[in-house]
Amino acid sequence: MGSNPSKQKEKRSQSVAEVRILANGHVPPRRTVSTLSRVAEVSGREKRNPEEPVVEFPQEEYKDGKLGITSKDTILNYLDSVEDGELFCDPDFNADRFALFYSDRDASDFYWKRPVDLVEEWQTPQLMVDGVTRDDIKQGTLGDCWFLSACAAVSQKKEFMKKIVPSDQPLCGPGYKGVVHFRFWRFGDWVDVYIDDLLPTVNGKLVYGRCTEPQEFWVALIEKAYAKLHGSYEAIEGGQSMDALVDLTGGIPRLYEIQDKDPFLYRMIEKAQQKGAFITCSRKGNWKLSTKADPNGLVSGHAYTVTEVRKIKHVRGEDKLVRIRNPWGDNNEWKGSWSDSDVNWTWVDDQTKKEIGLQAKDDGEFWMSYRDFCKQFQEVTICQYGPDFDGDGVVDKFGCYACVKGRWECDKNAGGSRNDLQKFATNPQYILTLPEADDFDPQKDDPDLEGLCSIVISLMQEHRQSTRNVKVKKLQIGFFLYRTEDPTKKLSPQHFRYTPDSGKSGVYINYREVSQQFELEPGHYMLIPSTFHHNEAADYMIRVFGEKSFTLEGPLE
């Protein structure tokens, strides 16, 4: 039987909607738009990350965010005061137990050594050997696969790694002073993080992240710099890959929960990978109990890097494959269909194997079918370093960008959710003006997008560490868009009661950042960021990207 093009298009549109809903972690009941506008947010969502740290930090509000950040002038002045022959010792991140742990754990087996003391006499320690690659990374005993899998993803883009890991930093010989510096994106700005090169060891060996080459040290040192930003190594046990990807790129993250064998999600991953987006995936489970792989070779509660997707033609047909890397970088690899030495590869010609770089090595990287991928992994994170307007996983060029920072203050503008419309109306209200529709090409573009403006909106709550032993409280956040005819006046509680929203981020959730894309008619829109609970104080940042010029003003008084 022949296929019906209109039905195919309808099915694809439904798939897009389902993926976006799942990305926000919530599937609302089927209601009309008019009914939705009158339904209160009964509850927000506390998302517990499977890679939770062993010991919980106490929590408090964000303070100054300067933890781990020291100005270049301060470092240079410090180095000028160091006598000849002495090496830099970081006064802000001393090589002691407190740099390792925030909890009361025994550190008597740990000794701090510099790279020059960790190589053979005939070897020369280097920050990087022949550049940076994903194959460099080997995870140690620290549960920070969420960070290392992000490093592996970003390592495939040289321009980003050059920004994050400045070259020409000797670890011995002329010009060596024992100091190394990295750059991370923190709440809208690139910041420099300086550390000394003393690294934690046990029995003379690096115990945490390291490079596969014994004379290369960028992995161990970037991990230390990231730990400094969080207060200790223990503080980066457990986290979300999408946060690490943003810290490394300043990009826009989207988290997708895998539901069955979704062909649209595969296409989105494929196109995102082709255009250079950064992709990770994770398995649910308790990482604290997973010191070894399951019988199938995969590790529960663990984050991996998606390094390639490919459709493979062979004598029996065609298969969709995904290549994945375990940050452990060892023989803990997938043991099922399409694994390194699987019989399926006998169906594939030698030229194809060569093109995809097939190797039977115990390096943590492996292929698997997309069908098995959907069965074994539960989440995919795609981080674009520019907005993806049409939802196809491809980074689109954008003509306009706006960023504003603000603060929810108790008894002033921290109005909480729509459960109480009087209070909700006190939240900050920004005017987003879209003067004209995007350019439309009837030969390439979806007819449903004609006359609309493609916009990507991201809301991030301030979540940088302020002190070493207290975490910044992570609130349930979200945002709404309402059409308005008067861009000079704030919207009233009555407006929210009787007028449907034009878009929203989804259910309130305790992520550091929530983002969503919209296709809107030209006009004026009120953009309202809020926390779920009333009177929760926090700093926030809104980023908006558009194909055509727009304005973002406010908040209105």
Side-chain angles (χ1 to χ4, degrees):
M1 292 179 62
S3 60
N4 187 322
S6 62
K7 287 186 177 181
Q8 284 185 334
K9 180 180 176 182
E10 179 182 355
K11 185 175 181 181
R12 180 188 181 279
S13 299
Q14 182 181 4
S15 179
V16 174
E18 288 172 351
V19 170
R20 290 178 186 167
I21 289 169
L22 292 168
N24 290 296
H26 178 64
V27 180
R30 295 182 181 274
R31 303 189 181 101
T32 63
V33 173
S34 59
T35 306
L36 275 173
S37 67
R38 296 174 174 80
V39 175
E41 279 72 46
V42 178
S43 66
R45 182 184 180 196
E46 290 282 352
K47 175 96 173 187
R48 302 297 293 177
N49 181 19
E51 290 191 31
E52 290 292 341
V54 176
V55 179
E56 292 278 347
F57 273 75
Q59 294 186 350
E60 66 178 9
E61 292 184 5
Y62 165 77
K63 290 181 179 178
D64 60 10
K66 297 298 182 183
L67 186 71
I69 301 173
T70 308
S71 72
K72 183 177 181 179
D73 289 341
T74 301
I75 294 296
L76 292 177
N77 290 336
Y78 184 96
L79 291 174
D80 287 340
S81 68
V82 174
E83 296 182 6
D84 291 341
E86 291 187 3
L87 296 175
F88 174 66
C89 292
D90 190 351
D92 299 319
F93 199 57
N94 292 318
D96 56 23
R97 184 180 70 82
F98 300 104
L100 296 172
F101 311 120
Y102 59 82
S103 61
D104 187 20
R105 289 170 59 179
D106 181 22
S108 59
D109 289 339
F110 286 80
Y111 292 89
W112 296 80
K113 294 188 175 185
R114 298 185 188 269
V116 71
D117 299 316
L118 289 169
V119 297
E120 301 293 340
E121 291 185 3
W122 50 271
Q123 291 179 319
T124 300
Q126 299 179 57
L127 185 62
M128 297 175 285
V129 176
D130 296 327
V132 169
T133 70
R134 65 181 185 273
D135 297 327
D136 294 340
I137 301 170
K138 289 184 71 70
Q139 184 181 355
T141 61
L142 193 68
D144 64 342
C145 59
W146 62 283
F147 173 65
L148 295 181
S149 64
C151 287
V154 178
S155 70
Q156 299 177 86
K157 301 291 289 185
K158 292 182 179 179
E159 60 268 33
F160 277 94
M161 294 310 297
K162 287 179 179 178
K163 189 176 188 70
I164 300 163
V165 190
S167 58
D168 194 25
Q169 299 193 71
L171 299 183
C172 67
Y176 171 58
K177 296 184 178 181
V179 61
V180 185
H181 102 273
F182 298 89
R183 297 189 185 101
F184 298 96
W185 191 88
R186 307 294 284 170
F187 201 61
D189 299 299
W190 285 93
V191 299
D192 292 291
V193 177
Y194 293 86
I195 56 171
D196 61 40
D197 63 349
L198 286 160
L199 295 168
T201 69
V202 173
N203 297 324
K205 303 290 185 181
L206 290 174
V207 68
Y208 295 150
R210 62 193 185 279
C211 293
T212 52
E213 293 289 338
Q215 71 270 31
E216 189 173 25
F217 288 89
W218 75 266
V219 172
L221 291 167
I222 196 173
E223 183 183 60
K224 179 176 180 177
Y226 203 61
K228 182 180 178 181
L229 280 177
H230 292 75
S232 66
Y233 278 92
E234 187 180 14
I236 60 173
E237 278 201 313
Q240 289 188 305
S241 294
M242 67 177 182
D243 291 343
L245 285 169
V246 174
D247 291 343
L248 293 168
T249 68
I252 308 168
R254 296 291 297 278
L255 180 66
Y256 301 92
E257 293 189 15
I258 299 173
Q259 298 289 322
D260 302 320
K261 186 188 174 188
D262 185 348
F264 175 73
L265 180 60
Y266 178 85
R267 180 58 180 153
M268 184 164 52
I269 295 172
E270 180 182 47
K271 294 186 73 174
Q273 185 266 330
Q274 290 171 355
K275 296 298 181 179
F278 311 111
I279 309 170
T280 63
C281 58
S282 61
R283 303 186 78 223
K284 291 183 179 178
N286 189 337
W287 71 271
K288 296 183 285 290
L289 303 179
S290 300
T291 57
K292 62 180 182 179
D294 296 338
N296 63 11
L298 302 178
V299 183
S300 299
H302 196 48
Y304 291 74
T305 307
V306 175
T307 59
E308 191 170 349
V309 292
R310 194 64 93 87
K311 291 186 181 73
I312 300 292
K313 292 184 178 180
H314 50 78
V315 295
R316 296 193 178 186
E318 182 180 80
D319 274 277
K320 297 176 180 177
L321 303 184
V322 184
R323 189 174 69 193
I324 300 166
R325 188 178 189 278
N326 182 348
W328 288 2
D330 57 16
N331 62 350
N332 288 283
E333 301 178 3
W334 169 244
K335 300 184 185 303
S337 179
W338 294 103
S339 56
D340 282 2
S341 300
D342 186 65
V343 66
N344 286 349
W345 290 109
T346 61
W347 306 342
V348 181
D349 64 84
D350 292 340
Q351 180 60 32
T352 300
K353 294 177 187 177
K354 183 178 180 180
E355 288 177 1
I356 66 172
L358 179 66
Q359 299 183 73
K361 294 172 59 179
D362 291 337
D363 57 358
E365 191 166 59
F366 54 87
W367 290 90
M368 65 191 310
S369 71
Y370 180 63
R371 182 188 302 275
D372 287 330
F373 174 79
C374 292
K375 290 179 181 178
Q376 297 298 332
F377 291 88
Q378 286 74 50
E379 292 180 341
V380 171
T381 297
I382 298 177
C383 183
Q384 311 284 4
Y385 53 92
D388 170 19
F389 293 112
D390 51 15
D392 63 358
V394 178
V395 178
D396 301 293
K397 293 182 179 179
F398 58 94
C400 192
Y401 164 73
C403 177
V404 295
K405 293 183 180 181
R407 179 171 175 79
W408 294 296
E409 297 185 44
C410 295
D411 299 321
K412 182 179 179 182
N413 67 347
S417 72
R418 295 187 299 186
N419 285 340
D420 186 324
L421 295 181
Q422 292 289 334
K423 293 178 179 177
F424 179 74
T426 67
N427 282 306
Q429 298 189 23
Y430 294 85
I431 283 292
L432 174 64
T433 301
L434 308 174
E436 60 177 320
D438 297 340
D439 296 331
F440 180 77
D441 185 345
Q443 302 297 321
K444 298 179 181 179
D445 298 332
D446 188 330
D448 293 339
L449 299 181
E450 185 174 8
L452 300 180
C453 307
S454 293
I455 290 289
V456 176
I457 300 175
S458 164
L459 171 65
M460 176 183 284
Q461 62 181 307
E462 176 61 280
H463 201 63
R464 293 178 289 179
Q465 282 295 102
S466 301
T467 55
R468 295 179 67 167
N469 298 315
V470 181
K471 266 191 176 180
V472 178
K473 186 178 181 181
K474 192 180 286 187
L475 307 176
Q476 297 169 42
I477 60 172
F479 63 83
F480 290 83
L481 282 171
Y482 284 90
R483 185 73 180 260
T484 180
E485 299 305 321
D486 187 349
T488 65
K489 289 179 58 178
K490 293 184 68 172
L491 300 183
S492 67
Q494 288 73 26
H495 185 96
F496 302 130
R497 184 177 300 278
Y498 299 112
T499 308
D501 60 72
S502 298
K504 57 186 177 181
S505 58
V507 69
Y508 287 93
I509 193 166
N510 60 327
Y511 284 158
R512 190 179 76 175
E513 183 175 12
V514 294
S515 63
Q516 190 58 271
Q517 66 179 57
F518 305 94
E519 285 76 38
L520 304 172
E521 295 179 351
H524 302 292
Y525 295 85
M526 199 70 76
L527 172 57
I528 305 173
S530 78
T531 60
F532 173 67
H533 294 291
H534 171 241
N535 267 356
E536 288 187 315
D539 293 284
Y540 62 82
M541 177 174 66
I542 299 172
R543 294 187 285 166
V544 182
F545 304 82
E547 285 188 353
K548 283 297 186 73
S549 178
F550 65 85
T551 59
L552 180 65
E553 301 174 299
L556 299 184
E557 297 297 332

